[in-house]
Amino acid sequence: MDQDFNEYINNFKEKSLKEKQSIVYDQLKMLAEFSNKLCKELEIPNEILLNKELLDLTKEDYTEDDFAEALIVLINSIQNSISDYTLGISDLLDKLDGQ
């Protein structure tokens, strides 16, 4: 097992629930941006999916429902980008094969 990763997880486990949620949210947001960037770099059409549910987490007193709703928006955005990327790569490979 990776010692650095284990330390990271142990450190994560010691945080409060709100801190854990913030870390999870930030990492998913970063992944959504990264997966969108992968598409854009190859000129594959893709947009980050946004929804008002993401704004709920900017409030200090957001609920567990707000958190779950924001996460599902980010997860769907990542899934959308990965799907677009996969289809775009397939199209690019088909074009290369046709040359």
Side-chain angles (χ1 to χ4, degrees):
M1 292 198 291
D2 187 333
Q3 184 64 28
D4 290 336
F5 183 69
N6 288 336
E7 288 177 28
Y8 170 76
I9 295 301
N10 287 332
N11 183 20
F12 179 82
K13 288 167 48 176
E14 294 176 7
K15 304 220 179 276
S16 71
L17 178 59
K18 288 286 187 187
E19 289 173 312
K20 289 176 184 176
Q21 289 174 335
S22 178
I23 291 168
V24 168
Y25 175 75
D26 288 343
Q27 288 187 356
L28 281 173
K29 190 168 67 169
M30 182 177 56
L31 188 55
E33 292 166 358
F34 177 74
S35 59
N36 174 258
K37 184 178 177 182
L38 284 175
C39 291
K40 296 296 182 189
E41 286 179 355
L42 294 177
E43 299 179 6
I44 296 169
N46 177 260
E47 296 298 325
I48 294 177
L49 300 179
L50 300 175
N51 183 280
K52 67 180 180 73
E53 301 306 328
L54 296 173
L55 295 176
D56 290 342
L57 293 192
T58 61
K59 299 183 286 187
E60 183 69 28
D61 61 342
Y62 67 83
T63 66
E64 298 304 309
D65 280 339
D66 293 334
F67 181 72
E69 292 159 359
L71 290 191
I72 201 67
V73 170
L74 288 173
I75 290 167
N76 276 274
S77 184
I78 294 164
Q79 288 173 328
N80 181 61
S81 292
I82 291 171
S83 287
D84 288 347
Y85 183 80
T86 302
L87 292 171
I89 290 292
S90 291
D91 288 346
L92 289 173
L93 290 174
D94 287 345
K95 287 177 185 175
L96 289 174
D97 285 343
Q99 289 183 357

